[in-house]
Amino acid sequence: MHQLALYGQIRKDDHHRMLQQLAGFTRMQPQDVREIQLVFKARQPPGLDLVQSIGASNLASQQQQDLQRVKHMLNAGLYYVHLVGEVLPEKKARPTENEDVTMTDANSSAEGKTSTVRWSLDFKDTPEPGKQPVSSRMVSRTPMEEGNLIQFLGNFGYEYVSRYVVIGSRFYEKDTTILVHKVLRLPEVGPGKAVSDNTFLSNIEALPELDRSGSYIVQASIDIVDGNNPELKDRATRQLLGIKEALKQAVDLTPGDRLALDTRLPATSRRT
């Protein structure tokens, strides 16, 4: 799946006006959004330090090229991923006939306790390079319904880094999702409590903001199944540019900065 998106920023004082304009534009009331975001990073493959130095003087030119290719392959494809917990309204937190949101370990302090958080694993690739009218990148979201999520990700080579909360409002206009949100900081806890600790939900508005100015981020996005299909991509691009034009008096929507949206791990040397 590919996501095409435009981004903007509004001041805290303009937030209420923005919600009113989006409510009129989309002909719907805003839907509250509260998401717990846990950040994980991929571990480098074991044994990478054993790969001989590229600059070894006793290696032939072809061997140096082969080793460089091996090191690049082992370091490539290392990304940050997010474990996203959607905080459900209380009335939707009860299991239904087709949905069981009871967590056996990751989200419950006692067996059989119904969770108010629905978890999924999110991957977002770095946006495509070059000058584009909209940001385009591959995304995926996999439901994570039960089990020890930290251990599960650890078995796949990912380790917990940090966590934060996203709060805001969501609107829909045809195929487009418009999200007005800001990021709140969470007290750091160990990996064992990163999923199960929901104590802050009772007073979420008291959490400190990452951006002290109180600004909100506006994201207009469309998810398409096949990003390589030029017809689907062109249609989604036209829809986003149409929304950009319609909302230009309220917010300036532009493609995101590729460096700011880079989800790859920094390339650092592990040898001294």
Side-chain angles (χ1 to χ4, degrees):
M1 181 179 295
H2 275 70
Q3 183 181 81
L4 278 63
L6 292 171
Y7 303 87
Q9 190 173 26
I10 57 172
R11 299 179 304 169
K12 180 180 181 179
D13 295 341
D14 295 331
H15 176 242
H16 183 66
R17 174 183 57 82
M18 185 79 227
L19 296 185
Q20 288 182 317
Q21 291 183 337
L22 286 175
F25 176 68
T26 60
R27 301 169 300 281
M28 65 171 286
Q29 291 300 307
Q31 295 185 355
D32 289 337
V33 174
R34 292 190 297 168
E35 291 182 347
I36 307 169
Q37 300 263 353
L38 308 185
V39 183
F40 292 78
K41 70 175 181 179
R43 292 190 294 267
Q44 290 191 341
L48 186 62
D49 289 336
L50 300 179
V51 179
Q52 197 167 0
S53 173
I54 300 300
S57 58
N58 60 334
L59 292 179
S61 175
Q62 183 60 45
Q63 288 177 305
Q64 292 180 5
Q65 293 178 10
D66 291 342
L67 281 175
Q68 187 174 9
R69 188 177 301 109
V70 169
K71 278 199 168 183
H72 176 75
M73 178 185 66
L74 292 176
N75 281 285
L78 297 180
Y79 291 84
Y80 289 100
V81 298
H82 286 203
L83 192 60
V84 179
E86 179 188 1
V87 181
L88 302 175
E90 290 296 332
K91 63 180 181 179
K92 294 183 181 180
R94 298 177 181 175
T96 63
E97 184 179 22
N98 298 321
E99 178 183 279
D100 182 9
V101 296
T102 301
M103 309 295 285
T104 59
D105 180 53
N107 203 44
S108 301
S109 58
E111 186 175 358
K113 181 180 179 181
T114 301
S115 170
T116 59
V117 180
R118 181 170 57 198
W119 293 96
S120 60
L121 180 65
D122 275 24
F123 169 78
K124 294 182 179 180
D125 202 354
T126 302
E128 297 175 0
K131 188 175 182 180
Q132 307 284 345
V134 299
S135 294
S136 175
R137 61 179 175 181
M138 186 178 69
V139 299
S140 68
R141 171 166 288 196
T142 305
M144 308 284 282
E145 296 184 353
E146 60 182 16
N148 189 321
L149 305 185
I150 301 295
Q151 181 180 347
F152 175 81
L153 288 171
N155 292 340
F156 277 90
Y158 289 90
E159 59 185 34
Y160 169 73
V161 177
S162 61
R163 63 177 188 163
Y164 59 90
V165 170
V166 171
I167 64 170
S169 304
R170 183 181 287 121
F171 299 85
Y172 298 100
E173 170 60 19
K174 297 181 180 178
D175 298 327
T176 306
T177 302
I178 304 174
L179 177 63
V180 183
H181 67 286
K182 62 181 177 180
V183 176
L184 305 180
R185 303 176 64 179
L186 280 176
E188 287 303 327
V189 296
K193 295 183 178 180
V195 173
S196 59
D197 176 31
N198 296 337
T199 56
F200 55 87
L201 292 178
S202 60
N203 194 21
I204 199 169
E205 296 294 339
L207 295 172
E209 298 181 13
L210 181 63
D211 184 351
R212 295 183 179 180
S213 70
S215 298
Y216 285 78
I217 300 171
V218 181
Q219 174 185 311
S221 62
I222 298 176
D223 293 341
I224 55 179
V225 176
D226 184 6
N228 296 319
N229 185 319
E231 182 179 353
L232 291 177
K233 192 171 183 179
D234 289 346
R235 185 169 64 184
T237 299
R238 289 195 302 269
Q239 287 188 27
L240 286 174
L241 294 179
I243 289 178
K244 174 182 179 179
E245 178 66 21
L247 299 177
K248 65 179 181 180
Q249 298 299 327
V251 60
D252 182 23
L253 294 174
T254 61
D257 181 89
R258 189 169 185 265
L259 182 60
L261 298 174
D262 196 336
T263 56
R264 296 169 295 183
L265 266 65
T268 57
S269 175
R270 300 178 62 194
R271 301 182 66 91
T272 57

